[in-house]
PDB file of all heavy atoms in Angstrom:
ATOM      1  N   ALA A  64       2.702  -6.241   0.224  1.00 92.00           N
ATOM      2  CA  ALA A  64       1.506  -7.087   0.183  1.00 92.00           C
ATOM      3  C   ALA A  64       1.751  -8.491   0.744  1.00 92.00           C
ATOM      4  O   ALA A  64       0.949  -9.004   1.525  1.00 92.00           O
ATOM      5  CB  ALA A  64       0.974  -7.182  -1.245  1.00 92.00           C
ATOM      6  N   ALA A  65       2.839  -9.120   0.362  1.00 93.00           N
ATOM      7  CA  ALA A  65       3.127 -10.472   0.863  1.00 93.00           C
ATOM      8  C   ALA A  65       3.452 -10.444   2.353  1.00 93.00           C
ATOM      9  O   ALA A  65       3.066 -11.344   3.103  1.00 93.00           O
ATOM     10  CB  ALA A  65       4.286 -11.096   0.078  1.00 93.00           C
ATOM     11  N   TRP A  66       4.161  -9.411   2.781  1.00 92.00           N
ATOM     12  CA  TRP A  66       4.493  -9.255   4.199  1.00 92.00           C
ATOM     13  C   TRP A  66       3.216  -9.128   5.027  1.00 92.00           C
ATOM     14  O   TRP A  66       3.057  -9.787   6.064  1.00 92.00           O
ATOM     15  CB  TRP A  66       5.375  -8.030   4.366  1.00 92.00           C
ATOM     16  CG  TRP A  66       5.854  -7.739   5.754  1.00 92.00           C
ATOM     17  CD1 TRP A  66       6.006  -8.627   6.788  1.00 92.00           C
ATOM     18  CD2 TRP A  66       6.270  -6.480   6.272  1.00 92.00           C
ATOM     19  NE1 TRP A  66       6.491  -7.987   7.903  1.00 92.00           N
ATOM     20  CE2 TRP A  66       6.663  -6.652   7.606  1.00 92.00           C
ATOM     21  CE3 TRP A  66       6.349  -5.213   5.719  1.00 92.00           C
ATOM     22  CZ2 TRP A  66       7.124  -5.627   8.403  1.00 92.00           C
ATOM     23  CZ3 TRP A  66       6.823  -4.179   6.514  1.00 92.00           C
ATOM     24  CH2 TRP A  66       7.200  -4.394   7.835  1.00 92.00           C
ATOM     25  N   VAL A  67       2.278  -8.317   4.559  1.00 92.00           N
ATOM     26  CA  VAL A  67       1.015  -8.127   5.271  1.00 92.00           C
ATOM     27  C   VAL A  67       0.231  -9.439   5.323  1.00 92.00           C
ATOM     28  O   VAL A  67      -0.404  -9.759   6.331  1.00 92.00           O
ATOM     29  CB  VAL A  67       0.191  -7.002   4.610  1.00 92.00           C
ATOM     30  CG1 VAL A  67      -1.204  -6.920   5.177  1.00 92.00           C
ATOM     31  CG2 VAL A  67       0.903  -5.667   4.769  1.00 92.00           C
ATOM     32  N   MET A  68       0.310 -10.232   4.256  1.00 92.00           N
ATOM     33  CA  MET A  68      -0.412 -11.502   4.239  1.00 92.00           C
ATOM     34  C   MET A  68       0.106 -12.474   5.303  1.00 92.00           C
ATOM     35  O   MET A  68      -0.665 -13.257   5.849  1.00 92.00           O
ATOM     36  CB  MET A  68      -0.332 -12.163   2.857  1.00 92.00           C
ATOM     37  CG  MET A  68      -1.124 -13.451   2.771  1.00 92.00           C
ATOM     38  SD  MET A  68      -1.136 -14.159   1.127  1.00 92.00           S
ATOM     39  CE  MET A  68      -2.438 -13.177   0.417  1.00 92.00           C
ATOM     40  N   THR A  69       1.391 -12.406   5.627  1.00 92.00           N
ATOM     41  CA  THR A  69       1.926 -13.308   6.658  1.00 92.00           C
ATOM     42  C   THR A  69       1.286 -13.049   8.013  1.00 92.00           C
ATOM     43  O   THR A  69       1.223 -13.946   8.852  1.00 92.00           O
ATOM     44  CB  THR A  69       3.460 -13.185   6.805  1.00 92.00           C
ATOM     45  OG1 THR A  69       3.790 -11.880   7.232  1.00 92.00           O
ATOM     46  CG2 THR A  69       4.174 -13.530   5.525  1.00 92.00           C
ATOM     47  N   TYR A  70       0.794 -11.827   8.223  1.00 88.00           N
ATOM     48  CA  TYR A  70       0.176 -11.458   9.502  1.00 88.00           C
ATOM     49  C   TYR A  70      -1.345 -11.332   9.414  1.00 88.00           C
ATOM     50  O   TYR A  70      -1.960 -10.770  10.325  1.00 88.00           O
ATOM     51  CB  TYR A  70       0.769 -10.142  10.004  1.00 88.00           C
ATOM     52  CG  TYR A  70       2.230 -10.250  10.336  1.00 88.00           C
ATOM     53  CD1 TYR A  70       3.196  -9.662   9.524  1.00 88.00           C
ATOM     54  CD2 TYR A  70       2.664 -10.970  11.443  1.00 88.00           C
ATOM     55  CE1 TYR A  70       4.541  -9.763   9.817  1.00 88.00           C
ATOM     56  CE2 TYR A  70       4.008 -11.089  11.740  1.00 88.00           C
ATOM     57  CZ  TYR A  70       4.942 -10.480  10.933  1.00 88.00           C
ATOM     58  OH  TYR A  70       6.270 -10.589  11.223  1.00 88.00           O
ATOM     59  N   GLU A  71      -1.931 -11.832   8.314  1.00 82.00           N
ATOM     60  CA  GLU A  71      -3.387 -11.735   8.110  1.00 82.00           C
ATOM     61  C   GLU A  71      -3.845 -10.279   8.219  1.00 82.00           C
ATOM     62  O   GLU A  71      -4.900  -9.993   8.782  1.00 82.00           O
ATOM     63  CB  GLU A  71      -4.132 -12.593   9.141  1.00 82.00           C
ATOM     64  CG  GLU A  71      -3.866 -14.077   9.072  1.00 82.00           C
ATOM     65  CD  GLU A  71      -4.580 -14.736   7.910  1.00 82.00           C
ATOM     66  OE1 GLU A  71      -5.678 -14.293   7.535  1.00 82.00           O
ATOM     67  OE2 GLU A  71      -4.024 -15.709   7.374  1.00 82.00           O
ATOM     68  N   GLY A  72      -3.076  -9.363   7.667  1.00 76.00           N
ATOM     69  CA  GLY A  72      -3.354  -7.950   7.827  1.00 76.00           C
ATOM     70  C   GLY A  72      -4.174  -7.311   6.722  1.00 76.00           C
ATOM     71  O   GLY A  72      -4.503  -6.126   6.811  1.00 76.00           O
ATOM     72  N   HIS A  73      -4.507  -8.055   5.680  1.00 77.00           N
ATOM     73  CA  HIS A  73      -5.287  -7.470   4.595  1.00 77.00           C
ATOM     74  C   HIS A  73      -6.735  -7.250   5.042  1.00 77.00           C
ATOM     75  O   HIS A  73      -7.277  -8.018   5.829  1.00 77.00           O
ATOM     76  CB  HIS A  73      -5.257  -8.363   3.354  1.00 77.00           C
ATOM     77  CG  HIS A  73      -3.942  -8.334   2.644  1.00 77.00           C
ATOM     78  ND1 HIS A  73      -3.538  -7.262   1.889  1.00 77.00           N
ATOM     79  CD2 HIS A  73      -2.929  -9.226   2.600  1.00 77.00           C
ATOM     80  CE1 HIS A  73      -2.341  -7.508   1.390  1.00 77.00           C
ATOM     81  NE2 HIS A  73      -1.942  -8.699   1.820  1.00 77.00           N
ATOM     82  N   VAL A  74      -7.334  -6.217   4.516  1.00 74.00           N
ATOM     83  CA  VAL A  74      -8.717  -5.899   4.853  1.00 74.00           C
ATOM     84  C   VAL A  74      -9.622  -6.931   4.199  1.00 74.00           C
ATOM     85  O   VAL A  74      -9.436  -7.304   3.045  1.00 74.00           O
ATOM     86  CB  VAL A  74      -9.077  -4.485   4.328  1.00 74.00           C
ATOM     87  CG1 VAL A  74     -10.545  -4.182   4.544  1.00 74.00           C
ATOM     88  CG2 VAL A  74      -8.195  -3.447   4.987  1.00 74.00           C
ATOM     89  N   ARG A  75     -10.590  -7.381   4.972  1.00 74.00           N
ATOM     90  CA  ARG A  75     -11.588  -8.281   4.388  1.00 74.00           C
ATOM     91  C   ARG A  75     -12.954  -7.898   4.912  1.00 74.00           C
ATOM     92  O   ARG A  75     -13.085  -7.438   6.036  1.00 74.00           O
ATOM     93  CB  ARG A  75     -11.237  -9.741   4.649  1.00 74.00           C
ATOM     94  CG  ARG A  75     -11.655 -10.293   5.961  1.00 74.00           C
ATOM     95  CD  ARG A  75     -11.546 -11.799   6.029  1.00 74.00           C
ATOM     96  NE  ARG A  75     -10.269 -12.182   6.584  1.00 74.00           N
ATOM     97  CZ  ARG A  75      -9.758 -13.389   6.463  1.00 74.00           C
ATOM     98  NH1 ARG A  75     -10.384 -14.316   5.813  1.00 74.00           N
ATOM     99  NH2 ARG A  75      -8.609 -13.679   7.003  1.00 74.00           N
ATOM    100  N   THR A  76     -13.934  -8.072   4.069  1.00 73.00           N
ATOM    101  CA  THR A  76     -15.305  -7.806   4.476  1.00 73.00           C
ATOM    102  C   THR A  76     -15.819  -9.075   5.108  1.00 73.00           C
ATOM    103  O   THR A  76     -16.113 -10.044   4.421  1.00 73.00           O
ATOM    104  CB  THR A  76     -16.157  -7.413   3.252  1.00 73.00           C
ATOM    105  OG1 THR A  76     -15.489  -6.365   2.567  1.00 73.00           O
ATOM    106  CG2 THR A  76     -17.531  -6.965   3.671  1.00 73.00           C
ATOM    107  N   ASP A  77     -15.895  -9.060   6.419  1.00 75.00           N
ATOM    108  CA  ASP A  77     -16.222 -10.319   7.092  1.00 75.00           C
ATOM    109  C   ASP A  77     -17.472 -10.226   7.955  1.00 75.00           C
ATOM    110  O   ASP A  77     -17.532 -10.770   9.042  1.00 75.00           O
ATOM    111  CB  ASP A  77     -15.031 -10.798   7.919  1.00 75.00           C
ATOM    112  CG  ASP A  77     -14.617  -9.836   9.003  1.00 75.00           C
ATOM    113  OD1 ASP A  77     -15.177  -8.733   9.046  1.00 75.00           O
ATOM    114  OD2 ASP A  77     -13.755 -10.199   9.808  1.00 75.00           O
ATOM    115  N   MET A  78     -18.491  -9.564   7.449  1.00 78.00           N
ATOM    116  CA  MET A  78     -19.743  -9.475   8.202  1.00 78.00           C
ATOM    117  C   MET A  78     -20.322 -10.871   8.436  1.00 78.00           C
ATOM    118  O   MET A  78     -20.815 -11.164   9.511  1.00 78.00           O
ATOM    119  CB  MET A  78     -20.747  -8.598   7.465  1.00 78.00           C
ATOM    120  CG  MET A  78     -20.309  -7.139   7.364  1.00 78.00           C
ATOM    121  SD  MET A  78     -21.427  -6.109   6.430  1.00 78.00           S
ATOM    122  CE  MET A  78     -21.174  -6.737   4.766  1.00 78.00           C
ATOM    123  N   LEU A  79     -20.238 -11.721   7.442  1.00 81.00           N
ATOM    124  CA  LEU A  79     -20.724 -13.094   7.594  1.00 81.00           C
ATOM    125  C   LEU A  79     -19.608 -14.023   8.061  1.00 81.00           C
ATOM    126  O   LEU A  79     -19.819 -14.869   8.924  1.00 81.00           O
ATOM    127  CB  LEU A  79     -21.282 -13.615   6.264  1.00 81.00           C
ATOM    128  CG  LEU A  79     -22.524 -12.931   5.737  1.00 81.00           C
ATOM    129  CD1 LEU A  79     -22.878 -13.471   4.363  1.00 81.00           C
ATOM    130  CD2 LEU A  79     -23.686 -13.127   6.689  1.00 81.00           C
ATOM    131  N   TYR A  80     -18.427 -13.856   7.495  1.00 79.00           N
ATOM    132  CA  TYR A  80     -17.284 -14.722   7.768  1.00 79.00           C
ATOM    133  C   TYR A  80     -16.985 -14.816   9.258  1.00 79.00           C
ATOM    134  O   TYR A  80     -16.724 -15.902   9.779  1.00 79.00           O
ATOM    135  CB  TYR A  80     -16.074 -14.183   7.001  1.00 79.00           C
ATOM    136  CG  TYR A  80     -14.807 -14.983   7.144  1.00 79.00           C
ATOM    137  CD1 TYR A  80     -14.587 -16.101   6.333  1.00 79.00           C
ATOM    138  CD2 TYR A  80     -13.822 -14.621   8.050  1.00 79.00           C
ATOM    139  CE1 TYR A  80     -13.417 -16.833   6.441  1.00 79.00           C
ATOM    140  CE2 TYR A  80     -12.655 -15.345   8.163  1.00 79.00           C
ATOM    141  CZ  TYR A  80     -12.453 -16.454   7.362  1.00 79.00           C
ATOM    142  OH  TYR A  80     -11.297 -17.175   7.471  1.00 79.00           O
ATOM    143  N   ALA A  81     -17.031 -13.705   9.959  1.00 81.00           N
ATOM    144  CA  ALA A  81     -16.700 -13.668  11.389  1.00 81.00           C
ATOM    145  C   ALA A  81     -17.700 -14.454  12.234  1.00 81.00           C
ATOM    146  O   ALA A  81     -17.371 -14.900  13.332  1.00 81.00           O
ATOM    147  CB  ALA A  81     -16.617 -12.231  11.871  1.00 81.00           C
ATOM    148  N   LYS A  82     -18.900 -14.649  11.717  1.00 87.00           N
ATOM    149  CA  LYS A  82     -19.932 -15.368  12.468  1.00 87.00           C
ATOM    150  C   LYS A  82     -19.811 -16.886  12.340  1.00 87.00           C
ATOM    151  O   LYS A  82     -20.430 -17.623  13.096  1.00 87.00           O
ATOM    152  CB  LYS A  82     -21.321 -14.916  12.013  1.00 87.00           C
ATOM    153  CG  LYS A  82     -21.583 -13.454  12.335  1.00 87.00           C
ATOM    154  CD  LYS A  82     -22.934 -13.005  11.866  1.00 87.00           C
ATOM    155  CE  LYS A  82     -23.092 -11.533  12.186  1.00 87.00           C
ATOM    156  NZ  LYS A  82     -24.376 -11.018  11.784  1.00 87.00           N
ATOM    157  N   PHE A  83     -19.015 -17.345  11.377  1.00 88.00           N
ATOM    158  CA  PHE A  83     -18.862 -18.782  11.179  1.00 88.00           C
ATOM    159  C   PHE A  83     -17.889 -19.369  12.189  1.00 88.00           C
ATOM    160  O   PHE A  83     -17.022 -18.671  12.720  1.00 88.00           O
ATOM    161  CB  PHE A  83     -18.362 -19.085   9.759  1.00 88.00           C
ATOM    162  CG  PHE A  83     -19.323 -18.713   8.668  1.00 88.00           C
ATOM    163  CD1 PHE A  83     -18.874 -18.059   7.528  1.00 88.00           C
ATOM    164  CD2 PHE A  83     -20.670 -19.015   8.759  1.00 88.00           C
ATOM    165  CE1 PHE A  83     -19.744 -17.721   6.518  1.00 88.00           C
ATOM    166  CE2 PHE A  83     -21.548 -18.678   7.756  1.00 88.00           C
ATOM    167  CZ  PHE A  83     -21.088 -18.032   6.628  1.00 88.00           C
ATOM    168  N   SER A  84     -17.980 -20.673  12.383  1.00 90.00           N
ATOM    169  CA  SER A  84     -17.028 -21.364  13.250  1.00 90.00           C
ATOM    170  C   SER A  84     -15.653 -21.367  12.584  1.00 90.00           C
ATOM    171  O   SER A  84     -15.538 -21.148  11.372  1.00 90.00           O
ATOM    172  CB  SER A  84     -17.486 -22.805  13.484  1.00 90.00           C
ATOM    173  OG  SER A  84     -17.382 -23.555  12.282  1.00 90.00           O
ATOM    174  N   ALA A  85     -14.633 -21.647  13.372  1.00 88.00           N
ATOM    175  CA  ALA A  85     -13.263 -21.682  12.838  1.00 88.00           C
ATOM    176  C   ALA A  85     -13.145 -22.708  11.721  1.00 88.00           C
ATOM    177  O   ALA A  85     -12.481 -22.467  10.710  1.00 88.00           O
ATOM    178  CB  ALA A  85     -12.276 -21.981  13.956  1.00 88.00           C
ATOM    179  N   LYS A  86     -13.788 -23.851  11.880  1.00 93.00           N
ATOM    180  CA  LYS A  86     -13.721 -24.913  10.863  1.00 93.00           C
ATOM    181  C   LYS A  86     -14.382 -24.454   9.554  1.00 93.00           C
ATOM    182  O   LYS A  86     -13.857 -24.719   8.468  1.00 93.00           O
ATOM    183  CB  LYS A  86     -14.391 -26.182  11.407  1.00 93.00           C
ATOM    184  CG  LYS A  86     -13.919 -27.443  10.797  1.00 93.00           C
ATOM    185  CD  LYS A  86     -12.520 -27.769  11.244  1.00 93.00           C
ATOM    186  CE  LYS A  86     -12.170 -29.183  10.842  1.00 93.00           C
ATOM    187  NZ  LYS A  86     -10.750 -29.452  10.971  1.00 93.00           N
ATOM    188  N   THR A  87     -15.510 -23.778   9.660  1.00 92.00           N
ATOM    189  CA  THR A  87     -16.194 -23.272   8.468  1.00 92.00           C
ATOM    190  C   THR A  87     -15.359 -22.189   7.787  1.00 92.00           C
ATOM    191  O   THR A  87     -15.270 -22.143   6.560  1.00 92.00           O
ATOM    192  CB  THR A  87     -17.595 -22.730   8.832  1.00 92.00           C
ATOM    193  OG1 THR A  87     -18.340 -23.767   9.478  1.00 92.00           O
ATOM    194  CG2 THR A  87     -18.353 -22.262   7.613  1.00 92.00           C
ATOM    195  N   GLN A  88     -14.725 -21.317   8.574  1.00 89.00           N
ATOM    196  CA  GLN A  88     -13.853 -20.294   8.010  1.00 89.00           C
ATOM    197  C   GLN A  88     -12.696 -20.930   7.241  1.00 89.00           C
ATOM    198  O   GLN A  88     -12.349 -20.488   6.143  1.00 89.00           O
ATOM    199  CB  GLN A  88     -13.302 -19.393   9.120  1.00 89.00           C
ATOM    200  CG  GLN A  88     -14.322 -18.472   9.723  1.00 89.00           C
ATOM    201  CD  GLN A  88     -13.762 -17.648  10.870  1.00 89.00           C
ATOM    202  OE1 GLN A  88     -12.628 -17.830  11.297  1.00 89.00           O
ATOM    203  NE2 GLN A  88     -14.571 -16.730  11.382  1.00 89.00           N
ATOM    204  N   GLN A  89     -12.121 -21.981   7.814  1.00 92.00           N
ATOM    205  CA  GLN A  89     -11.022 -22.682   7.143  1.00 92.00           C
ATOM    206  C   GLN A  89     -11.504 -23.304   5.832  1.00 92.00           C
ATOM    207  O   GLN A  89     -10.822 -23.219   4.800  1.00 92.00           O
ATOM    208  CB  GLN A  89     -10.443 -23.755   8.054  1.00 92.00           C
ATOM    209  CG  GLN A  89      -9.750 -23.209   9.275  1.00 92.00           C
ATOM    210  CD  GLN A  89      -9.585 -24.248  10.363  1.00 92.00           C
ATOM    211  OE1 GLN A  89      -9.759 -25.443  10.133  1.00 92.00           O
ATOM    212  NE2 GLN A  89      -9.246 -23.793  11.564  1.00 92.00           N
ATOM    213  N   LEU A  90     -12.669 -23.929   5.865  1.00 93.00           N
ATOM    214  CA  LEU A  90     -13.226 -24.546   4.660  1.00 93.00           C
ATOM    215  C   LEU A  90     -13.468 -23.491   3.582  1.00 93.00           C
ATOM    216  O   LEU A  90     -13.149 -23.708   2.402  1.00 93.00           O
ATOM    217  CB  LEU A  90     -14.522 -25.290   4.989  1.00 93.00           C
ATOM    218  CG  LEU A  90     -15.185 -26.021   3.831  1.00 93.00           C
ATOM    219  CD1 LEU A  90     -14.261 -27.100   3.268  1.00 93.00           C
ATOM    220  CD2 LEU A  90     -16.507 -26.635   4.273  1.00 93.00           C
ATOM    221  N   LEU A  91     -14.009 -22.352   3.972  1.00 90.00           N
ATOM    222  CA  LEU A  91     -14.225 -21.265   3.012  1.00 90.00           C
ATOM    223  C   LEU A  91     -12.913 -20.807   2.387  1.00 90.00           C
ATOM    224  O   LEU A  91     -12.841 -20.579   1.183  1.00 90.00           O
ATOM    225  CB  LEU A  91     -14.924 -20.082   3.689  1.00 90.00           C
ATOM    226  CG  LEU A  91     -16.418 -20.221   3.910  1.00 90.00           C
ATOM    227  CD1 LEU A  91     -16.950 -19.074   4.757  1.00 90.00           C
ATOM    228  CD2 LEU A  91     -17.154 -20.288   2.586  1.00 90.00           C
ATOM    229  N   GLU A  92     -11.885 -20.672   3.207  1.00 90.00           N
ATOM    230  CA  GLU A  92     -10.574 -20.265   2.666  1.00 90.00           C
ATOM    231  C   GLU A  92     -10.010 -21.322   1.734  1.00 90.00           C
ATOM    232  O   GLU A  92      -9.419 -20.988   0.710  1.00 90.00           O
ATOM    233  CB  GLU A  92      -9.601 -19.962   3.812  1.00 90.00           C
ATOM    234  CG  GLU A  92     -10.032 -18.749   4.592  1.00 90.00           C
ATOM    235  CD  GLU A  92      -8.892 -17.885   5.046  1.00 90.00           C
ATOM    236  OE1 GLU A  92      -7.749 -18.094   4.615  1.00 90.00           O
ATOM    237  OE2 GLU A  92      -9.176 -16.980   5.831  1.00 90.00           O
ATOM    238  N   LEU A  93     -10.184 -22.582   2.085  1.00 95.00           N
ATOM    239  CA  LEU A  93      -9.683 -23.665   1.218  1.00 95.00           C
ATOM    240  C   LEU A  93     -10.376 -23.654  -0.137  1.00 95.00           C
ATOM    241  O   LEU A  93      -9.742 -23.959  -1.156  1.00 95.00           O
ATOM    242  CB  LEU A  93      -9.886 -25.025   1.892  1.00 95.00           C
ATOM    243  CG  LEU A  93      -8.955 -25.349   3.044  1.00 95.00           C
ATOM    244  CD1 LEU A  93      -9.351 -26.669   3.701  1.00 95.00           C
ATOM    245  CD2 LEU A  93      -7.517 -25.419   2.568  1.00 95.00           C
ATOM    246  N   ILE A  94     -11.638 -23.294  -0.164  1.00 95.00           N
ATOM    247  CA  ILE A  94     -12.396 -23.282  -1.418  1.00 95.00           C
ATOM    248  C   ILE A  94     -12.195 -21.966  -2.179  1.00 95.00           C
ATOM    249  O   ILE A  94     -11.947 -21.971  -3.395  1.00 95.00           O
ATOM    250  CB  ILE A  94     -13.902 -23.513  -1.145  1.00 95.00           C
ATOM    251  CG1 ILE A  94     -14.122 -24.923  -0.595  1.00 95.00           C
ATOM    252  CG2 ILE A  94     -14.734 -23.275  -2.400  1.00 95.00           C
ATOM    253  CD1 ILE A  94     -15.502 -25.167  -0.024  1.00 95.00           C
ATOM    254  N   LEU A  95     -12.305 -20.852  -1.467  1.00 90.00           N
ATOM    255  CA  LEU A  95     -12.308 -19.553  -2.144  1.00 90.00           C
ATOM    256  C   LEU A  95     -10.929 -19.072  -2.582  1.00 90.00           C
ATOM    257  O   LEU A  95     -10.821 -18.334  -3.565  1.00 90.00           O
ATOM    258  CB  LEU A  95     -12.985 -18.501  -1.266  1.00 90.00           C
ATOM    259  CG  LEU A  95     -14.475 -18.740  -1.017  1.00 90.00           C
ATOM    260  CD1 LEU A  95     -15.049 -17.676  -0.095  1.00 90.00           C
ATOM    261  CD2 LEU A  95     -15.243 -18.804  -2.328  1.00 90.00           C
ATOM    262  N   PHE A  96      -9.879 -19.469  -1.868  1.00 91.00           N
ATOM    263  CA  PHE A  96      -8.534 -19.052  -2.280  1.00 91.00           C
ATOM    264  C   PHE A  96      -8.222 -19.550  -3.694  1.00 91.00           C
ATOM    265  O   PHE A  96      -7.775 -18.762  -4.535  1.00 91.00           O
ATOM    266  CB  PHE A  96      -7.493 -19.529  -1.261  1.00 91.00           C
ATOM    267  CG  PHE A  96      -6.673 -18.425  -0.681  1.00 91.00           C
ATOM    268  CD1 PHE A  96      -7.239 -17.467   0.142  1.00 91.00           C
ATOM    269  CD2 PHE A  96      -5.329 -18.323  -0.962  1.00 91.00           C
ATOM    270  CE1 PHE A  96      -6.490 -16.433   0.676  1.00 91.00           C
ATOM    271  CE2 PHE A  96      -4.560 -17.302  -0.437  1.00 91.00           C
ATOM    272  CZ  PHE A  96      -5.150 -16.355   0.384  1.00 91.00           C
ATOM    273  N   PRO A  97      -8.439 -20.842  -3.984  1.00 94.00           N
ATOM    274  CA  PRO A  97      -8.181 -21.299  -5.360  1.00 94.00           C
ATOM    275  C   PRO A  97      -9.146 -20.703  -6.396  1.00 94.00           C
ATOM    276  O   PRO A  97      -8.802 -20.581  -7.562  1.00 94.00           O
ATOM    277  CB  PRO A  97      -8.362 -22.817  -5.288  1.00 94.00           C
ATOM    278  CG  PRO A  97      -8.188 -23.161  -3.850  1.00 94.00           C
ATOM    279  CD  PRO A  97      -8.684 -21.971  -3.085  1.00 94.00           C
ATOM    280  N   LEU A  98     -10.338 -20.319  -5.963  1.00 95.00           N
ATOM    281  CA  LEU A  98     -11.309 -19.768  -6.909  1.00 95.00           C
ATOM    282  C   LEU A  98     -11.134 -18.274  -7.159  1.00 95.00           C
ATOM    283  O   LEU A  98     -11.440 -17.784  -8.246  1.00 95.00           O
ATOM    284  CB  LEU A  98     -12.738 -20.012  -6.402  1.00 95.00           C
ATOM    285  CG  LEU A  98     -13.216 -21.453  -6.420  1.00 95.00           C
ATOM    286  CD1 LEU A  98     -14.619 -21.556  -5.815  1.00 95.00           C
ATOM    287  CD2 LEU A  98     -13.212 -22.004  -7.839  1.00 95.00           C
ATOM    288  N   ILE A  99     -10.643 -17.532  -6.151  1.00 93.00           N
ATOM    289  CA  ILE A  99     -10.558 -16.078  -6.284  1.00 93.00           C
ATOM    290  C   ILE A  99      -9.114 -15.584  -6.254  1.00 93.00           C
ATOM    291  O   ILE A  99      -8.660 -14.916  -7.184  1.00 93.00           O
ATOM    292  CB  ILE A  99     -11.386 -15.385  -5.179  1.00 93.00           C
ATOM    293  CG1 ILE A  99     -12.861 -15.753  -5.322  1.00 93.00           C
ATOM    294  CG2 ILE A  99     -11.198 -13.875  -5.222  1.00 93.00           C
ATOM    295  CD1 ILE A  99     -13.740 -15.327  -4.170  1.00 93.00           C
ATOM    296  N   PHE A 100      -8.391 -15.886  -5.188  1.00 93.00           N
ATOM    297  CA  PHE A 100      -7.056 -15.318  -5.007  1.00 93.00           C
ATOM    298  C   PHE A 100      -6.068 -15.792  -6.068  1.00 93.00           C
ATOM    299  O   PHE A 100      -5.404 -14.981  -6.710  1.00 93.00           O
ATOM    300  CB  PHE A 100      -6.518 -15.659  -3.605  1.00 93.00           C
ATOM    301  CG  PHE A 100      -5.120 -15.162  -3.375  1.00 93.00           C
ATOM    302  CD1 PHE A 100      -4.883 -13.849  -3.023  1.00 93.00           C
ATOM    303  CD2 PHE A 100      -4.025 -16.008  -3.539  1.00 93.00           C
ATOM    304  CE1 PHE A 100      -3.591 -13.383  -2.820  1.00 93.00           C
ATOM    305  CE2 PHE A 100      -2.735 -15.553  -3.340  1.00 93.00           C
ATOM    306  CZ  PHE A 100      -2.520 -14.236  -2.980  1.00 93.00           C
ATOM    307  N   PHE A 101      -5.941 -17.103  -6.240  1.00 96.00           N
ATOM    308  CA  PHE A 101      -4.924 -17.615  -7.170  1.00 96.00           C
ATOM    309  C   PHE A 101      -5.159 -17.169  -8.615  1.00 96.00           C
ATOM    310  O   PHE A 101      -4.209 -16.728  -9.270  1.00 96.00           O
ATOM    311  CB  PHE A 101      -4.806 -19.137  -7.073  1.00 96.00           C
ATOM    312  CG  PHE A 101      -4.205 -19.602  -5.767  1.00 96.00           C
ATOM    313  CD1 PHE A 101      -4.788 -20.620  -5.049  1.00 96.00           C
ATOM    314  CD2 PHE A 101      -3.051 -19.026  -5.262  1.00 96.00           C
ATOM    315  CE1 PHE A 101      -4.241 -21.053  -3.841  1.00 96.00           C
ATOM    316  CE2 PHE A 101      -2.489 -19.438  -4.065  1.00 96.00           C
ATOM    317  CZ  PHE A 101      -3.091 -20.457  -3.355  1.00 96.00           C
TER     318      PHE A 101
END
Side-chain angles (χ1 to χ4, degrees):
W66 182 25
V67 171
M68 183 176 278
T69 63
Y70 295 108
E71 297 284 328
H73 287 286
V74 174
R75 84 168 94 197
T76 308
D77 61 354
M78 295 177 290
L79 294 175
Y80 181 84
K82 295 179 182 181
F83 295 136
S84 69
K86 205 71 168 167
T87 304
Q88 289 177 354
Q89 293 161 14
L90 182 61
L91 282 172
E92 293 218 10
L93 286 175
I94 294 168
L95 295 178
F96 237 67
L98 290 177
I99 298 170
F100 177 81
F101 291 133

